[in-house]
Amino acid sequence: MQGSVLVVDPAAGFFEKQLVAGFPDLTIHAVRHVEEARVHAPGVEVMFGMPRAFDAPLLGAAPKLRWVQVGTAGTDFLVRIPTLPRGTLVTSTRGIH
């Protein structure tokens, strides 16, 4: 599997280690803050983080984005961002606990 994943989370290093171990063919960009994420946005297909990790400029700069996984049960905040690329799958961790 090839592709590019952006993790935006204070524990980004933890997630990066897990993803690299399980999916060595993926390109993983792991950052702690949305400000650091913007440089990676144009090439990523997948983003992971808490809903507030994503803002309109970040999502608008990600034309290849196909999937956003949030670490909460709710996705309302995220799906209301007008720059979320049309057709992007948004999933949550609802029911994980």
Side-chain angles (χ1 to χ4, degrees), residues 4-12 14-16 19 29-31 37 44-51 53-54 58-59 65 67-72 78 91-93 96:
S4 184
V5 177
L6 174 60
V7 177
V8 185
D9 192 272
F14 168 79
F15 292 112
E16 180 179 28
L19 289 167
H29 306 284
V31 299
V44 299
E45 298 166 290
V46 178
M47 290 187 189
F48 168 80
M50 296 305 212
F54 308 107
L58 177 64
L59 296 174
L65 189 61
W67 176 27
V68 178
Q69 170 68 47
V70 294
T72 61
L78 184 62
T91 56
S92 71
T93 56
I96 196 170

Side-chain angles (χ1 to χ4, degrees), residues 11-29:
F14 168 79
F15 292 112
E16 180 179 28
K17 286 180 186 177
Q18 301 301 311
L19 289 167
V20 167
F23 304 96
D25 294 336
L26 288 178
T27 300
I28 310 296
H29 306 284

